[in-house]
Structure formats: structure tokens, C-alpha cells
Amino acid sequence: MAAVHPASPDTWSVVRERLKAGEYVIGMTVTSNNLETAAYAATLGFHFLWAEMEHSSLSLESLRNMVMATRGLPAPVFARVPWAEVWMAKRVLDQGVQGVIFPFVSTPERATVAAQGCHYPPFGRRGSGAGLAVSTWPAMGNYYDSADANVLVVCVIEEAAGVDAIEEIAATPGVDVIFIGVSDLSFSLGLRGRQDEPLLDEAIAKIVAAAKRHGKWLGRPAGSAADVKRFHADGFQFFQSVTELGLMKLGAQHLLEPLGIKDKPREQSTFY
């Protein structure tokens, strides 16, 4: 395996180009198997769709259908896989996604697996059976070169062990984005999800410093426009936003609360 991924001028990815320009990108999280929802979301202004395959029922078939339904629309599909494995990266990339998000990257070895799974030899270990991806890839010409130049590799740091190894993880060739999973990181630090703790702030600061030192883009969740603006000012550029179900709730509140209609009490049995 080559130690350094070769540079390429063939970068057309809107997400990658915005990141290179210092701008932010925001993705809507897709958790339901509804193609109309995904296709409509891809026209609303989001820069990408975050297909959630770690925490939802989305299947590989659903992902492929989503890629086909959004073909030619402004927001490309990225997939968060359940774990950082070469074979998991291969499977989602072969459906035509333009980025892969790997959870719980807590060691440099796992970061290397993530990077190699998204690139072809001699740098990576991705297999060449990309017939489906070629059929929906937005750029003409050599798919393999284009994919190597444009697919975004996102590594999520969400364990204390990942913070301890962040220098080596951030230095890993082929990793593009260091994304901080602030909720799981809080749990790993013993804080049970709390976000206003100095210990969590210290861990985030350490990750931010290492990512900047090694030239990686920074990402984290952002639930509001105010969050995006505040975190972007701190150097973050890659944002996971709310789910389609979360947007439905926000829309319902905006419509109904002025009429005095509130959410159903939590003790009532509902579908969600």
C-alpha cells in the first residue's frame, strides 16, 4: 500500500469545494425509508444528505434507491456505516455515495482502515466492482480516478480513547474530516450526555487543535442556524443537522403552537 494518497485536480464535489474554500456544509440526517422525503430534502438547500445506517433501519437497498432518487439533485448522499471496516465502506460506495462517515474511530489503525476502504490501490483497498456506482456517478470519464479524488472520508471521534490518540488519528493520510460526536463522547467521559462540562470542553479543544495541526476539516452536530454560525466561527465546517422527523416536528410546532396546540404528552402511546 502506498503511504500517501496522490493529489488530484479532478475535484468537482460541491461539499469538498466548499470545505476547501473555508465555507460550511450542512447535511440533513435521513433515518426513514421514504424516497420522496430524501428526494425532496435534496432540493431544500442542504449541501448533502446524511444517510443514517448506524442508528436507523436504512438498508443497503434503501441507500441505493436514495442515490437513484436524488441523482442530479443538488445534495449528494453520504452514508454513516455502523463501523469502520473496509467491507462496509465498499458496500456503500458501490451504491454511489459521495462520502462515508465512520463512527467510533478511536485508534489510528481504525482511521487507516476507514481511509483505505474509500480509496483504490495502491493507496487503498477498495475493490473495483463499482458498476452500480458508475451508472449514477455525476461526472463523466474514469470513475475510479474521480471517486478517489472526490469521495469524502469522515472519521467520528466519540470515545475518550479517540481523544487520547487524536494526534495519530488526525495525521492519518486519506482522512478528510474529523467529526466530534459530542453526545457519545460525553457518555464516554462519564458525563451521561451533558454538554456543559469543562471535561468535555477540554476534550473538544484537544480534538480541534489536532485536526487543525494536521490540516483536517472539523465537523460536529448542529441543531440550529445559531449553532452553525457559532461553531463555524470556532473553525467547524462539516455539520450534521436534524433528521427529517426532527424537521417535521419543528414545522408542526411553528404551525400549531401559535394556535395553542402543543405536542401530545409523552405518556400517550404514539408511533414515535
Side-chain angles (χ1 to χ4, degrees), residues 34-43 49 62-75 77 95 136:
N34 187 301
L35 298 184
E36 287 193 44
T37 298
Y40 189 52
T43 70
L49 301 183
S62 301
L63 181 69
R64 176 58 183 170
N65 289 336
M66 193 184 304
V67 169
M68 291 193 291
T70 58
R71 186 183 185 188
L73 298 178
V77 178
Q95 310 316 309
T136 52

Side-chain angles (χ1 to χ4, degrees), residues 12 60 63-68 70-71 75-79 89-100 120 126 129-139 143 147 151:
W12 45 262
L60 204 63
L63 181 69
R64 176 58 183 170
N65 289 336
M66 193 184 304
V67 169
M68 291 193 291
T70 58
R71 186 183 185 188
V77 178
F78 288 15
K90 289 179 180 181
R91 297 216 73 190
V92 297
L93 285 166
D94 284 350
Q95 310 316 309
V97 302
Q98 294 183 28
V100 184
Y120 290 104
R126 185 180 173 190
L132 290 178
V134 172
S135 71
T136 52
W137 197 246
Y143 167 79
V151 166

